[in-house]
């Protein structure tokens, strides 16, 4: 179920216009609102599929942050399940490892440094990031593999 949450966490982006997803400039405030909606849209799409109720919550919480600064629910700390914390760290890792319209991919050590900064800032779960650190090369290689659904 955790793997499904990881694979489906961005399904809500199907409602985001391609030109916004591919934009190379900084997003406007309105564009940020449209982009952030994808997390809730993920929940909306998955919640009605029998057997995926928990998956829908874990997937939709991939932008929640331990300090409560995330979205769409602004949940924090223990309100965020371990599964959602894992998906959140994996999402950040993969985003940093892959080519984006606005920047190139980062190397494993640079990604780890950013993850640790996010832990220090109270954003990401330190225990999950420590597992990534212990398996850094494997995580990096997995992030570079094409998604197979």
């Amino acid at each position: 179920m955790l793997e499904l949450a990881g694979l489906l966490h961005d399904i809500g982006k199907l409602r985001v216009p391609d030109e916004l997803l591919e934009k190379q400039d900084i997003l406007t405030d309105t564009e940020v609102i449209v982009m952030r909606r994808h997390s809730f849209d993920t929940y909306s799409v998955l919640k009605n599929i029998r057997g995926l109720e928990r998956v829908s919550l874990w997937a939709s919480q991939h932008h929640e942050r331990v300090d409560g600064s995330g979205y769409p629910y602004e949940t924090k700390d223990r309100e965020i399940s371990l599964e959602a914390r894992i998906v959140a760290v994996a999402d950040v890792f993969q985003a940093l490892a892959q080519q984006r319209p606005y920047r190139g991919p980062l190397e494993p050590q640079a990604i780890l440094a950013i993850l640790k900064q996010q832990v220090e800032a109270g954003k990401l779960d330190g225990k999950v990031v420590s597992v990534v650190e212990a398996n850094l090369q494997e995580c990096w290689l997995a992030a570079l593999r094409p998604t197979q659904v």
Side-chain angles (χ1 to χ4, degrees):
M1 288 175 45
L2 179 57
E3 183 177 8
L4 274 176
L7 292 171
L8 298 173
H9 76 278
D10 274 341
I11 199 164
K13 282 188 176 177
L14 292 173
R15 292 185 174 169
V16 176
D18 287 343
E19 56 271 8
L20 189 58
L21 293 172
E22 297 168 4
K23 185 173 180 179
Q24 295 183 11
D25 294 326
I26 295 173
L27 300 178
T28 67
D29 290 345
T30 302
E31 291 169 336
V32 168
I33 291 168
V34 171
M35 183 66 80
R36 284 186 169 196
R37 183 183 162 97
H38 86 274
S39 295
F40 185 75
D41 288 341
T42 291
Y43 176 76
S44 296
V45 168
L46 298 176
K47 72 177 180 167
N48 294 316
I49 301 172
R50 183 188 285 177
L52 295 186
E53 295 84 5
R54 286 189 291 173
V55 169
S56 68
L57 186 58
W58 302 340
S60 70
Q61 289 183 323
H62 70 280
H63 285 293
E64 296 295 340
R65 296 297 179 250
V66 177
D67 67 358
S69 65
Y71 60 91
Y73 311 111
E74 298 179 355
T75 54
K76 65 179 181 177
D77 218 11
R78 294 176 191 231
E79 298 170 357
I80 307 169
S81 68
L82 174 60
E83 295 86 355
R85 293 167 187 248
I86 291 169
V87 176
V89 170
D91 183 54
V92 172
F93 191 105
Q94 186 172 42
L96 295 170
Q98 294 180 340
Q99 177 77 33
R100 292 293 192 243
Y102 49 87
R103 64 142 179 84
L106 300 180
E107 294 297 320
Q109 289 300 328
I111 296 169
L112 182 59
I114 292 170
L115 292 177
K116 286 182 171 185
Q117 288 171 353
Q118 292 292 301
V119 169
E120 291 173 18
K123 305 293 182 190
L124 296 176
D125 186 291
K127 290 180 182 178
V128 175
V129 171
S130 69
V131 173
V132 169
E133 183 174 17
N135 300 281
L136 186 59
Q137 190 65 24
E138 294 88 345
C139 292
W140 189 67
L141 291 172
L144 298 179
R145 268 186 255 142
T147 304
Q148 297 176 11
V149 180

